[in-house]
Amino acid sequence: MIREAIGVRVAARGASIRIDGEPDAAHAAQRVISELIESAERGRPLGRAQVLERIAEANWRRDARLGADTIDADDITMNGVWNGRLDVRAGGRPVVASSPNQQHYLDSIFANDLVFGIGPAGTGKTFLAVAAAVHQLKTGRVRKAILARPAVEAGEKLGFLPGDLLDKVNPYLRPLLDALSDMLDYETIKKFMASDVIEVVPLAFMRGRTLNDAVIILDEAQNTTRGQMQMFLTRMGQRSTMIVTGDVTQIDLPDPTQSGLIDAARRLRRVNGVGFCVLERSDVVRHDLVQRVIEAYETDRRDGHLSTEDALRRMERRAAAQTPDSPPTSVDTTPLPDDDDQPARGETARPDARDDNGSEVHGA
């Protein structure tokens, strides 16, 4: 039925299934077969009518498919989608990791259902997350991509913005749209946003939703409150992946200790299925001067270096010590003393530290 309806040749060899045909047709057939296998593994095999619905949907997606240059049908097997490389191009060049930390970040995205990417500006947190989302759409791993961001101003009060609701939230979502426009042409973005294959929404619009078969990105997560972060994380549905990105050194909340990103890192770092990756200034991929600017701002009054990992540990320590009834404490940005268990680059800093009185403070 798949052969005739989509126009491909399908051959099973051991645990692998080989699909031959035109690239777009092979991609559509892969999607249908993946759903058949998943349904059978869950003990709920699809009936003929359901299979026909999946084929019709796959054919529709083929017609509206993202414009990849080519897909090698010989490489389309059911052994897994991720082989360490993204099937995404930006500016005519393939999107690749520029450092071992960035490759670790990509590997974590495809190995975990929930991934936190934490690091300073320019380290590729958002760009690689969007590229991973586009890759998963193109390979049929998910049906849609949702990109969300909190509408928090960076220290300025802009007042009321003109236009309708979309016009008002567009400035806050512009960085996500910029990343998309680097990888997809305007007509493709317009088509997929009109059909809700790709959504770019403010975080407040996520409440009450259950997102199945989707990749969901939360950018600028350091500006979420604890309640907002919990709300976002509980939107995950079946067969979905969440990517949370943020920079703990650029928190624009009135009380930085209440950052939902810091709280989530403290609570979830030891939970199975949750991956953490800390990017550093050595991973900056913007102009060379950006790396030197970050380094200059990370130098405190004693000319000591405060890394992103140190900032994360400091914020966790303050948040853990903060009680609901106590007044907000200011953020101490002095460097932490060297610990024997200082994490290696590419890993999240451990929450265990000592407070100013020498007592141990442990994260959840």
Side-chain angles (χ1 to χ4, degrees), residues 153-158:
E153 298 165 350
E156 296 181 272
K157 299 299 182 183
L158 302 179

Side-chain angles (χ1 to χ4, degrees), residues 22-31 57-73 76 87-88 134-140 184-185 187-189 191-192 195 197-198:
E22 293 296 325
D24 288 345
H27 183 87
Q30 181 204 14
R31 179 178 181 82
E57 181 184 65
N59 281 329
W60 174 85
R61 288 178 59 88
R62 177 176 60 178
D63 295 337
R65 183 177 172 273
L66 295 107
D69 291 343
T70 59
I71 293 180
D72 186 354
I76 301 178
D87 183 22
V88 181
V134 172
H135 173 89
Q136 292 192 51
L137 280 174
K138 293 172 71 173
T139 56
L184 304 172
D185 62 81
E187 289 301 323
T188 300
I189 295 175
K191 181 187 301 182
F192 276 86
S195 59
V197 174
I198 294 177

Side-chain angles (χ1 to χ4, degrees), residues 81-101:
V81 175
W82 180 239
N83 62 359
R85 294 180 293 113
L86 292 170
D87 183 22
V88 181
R89 288 180 173 271
R93 295 178 296 179
V95 176
V96 297
S98 300
S99 70
N101 260 5

Side-chain angles (χ1 to χ4, degrees), residues 164-232:
D164 58 19
L165 182 61
L166 293 179
D167 292 330
K168 293 177 187 296
V169 300
N170 183 70
Y172 299 102
L173 305 176
R174 192 71 247 175
L176 295 173
L177 292 170
D178 288 343
L180 271 178
S181 63
D182 284 340
M183 304 170 203
L184 304 172
D185 62 81
Y186 174 76
E187 289 301 323
T188 300
I189 295 175
K190 183 178 178 181
K191 181 187 301 182
F192 276 86
M193 292 185 70
S195 59
D196 285 337
V197 174
I198 294 177
E199 294 183 52
V200 184
V201 297
L203 178 61
F205 289 10
M206 299 290 287
R207 186 175 296 278
R209 302 184 65 181
T210 300
L211 303 169
N212 298 314
D213 300 296
V215 54
I216 311 114
I217 299 173
L218 174 60
D219 191 34
E220 296 292 330
Q222 76 275 5
N223 288 327
T224 62
T225 64
R226 298 181 184 185
Q228 287 175 323
M229 178 62 76
Q230 181 183 8
M231 179 273 291
F232 174 80

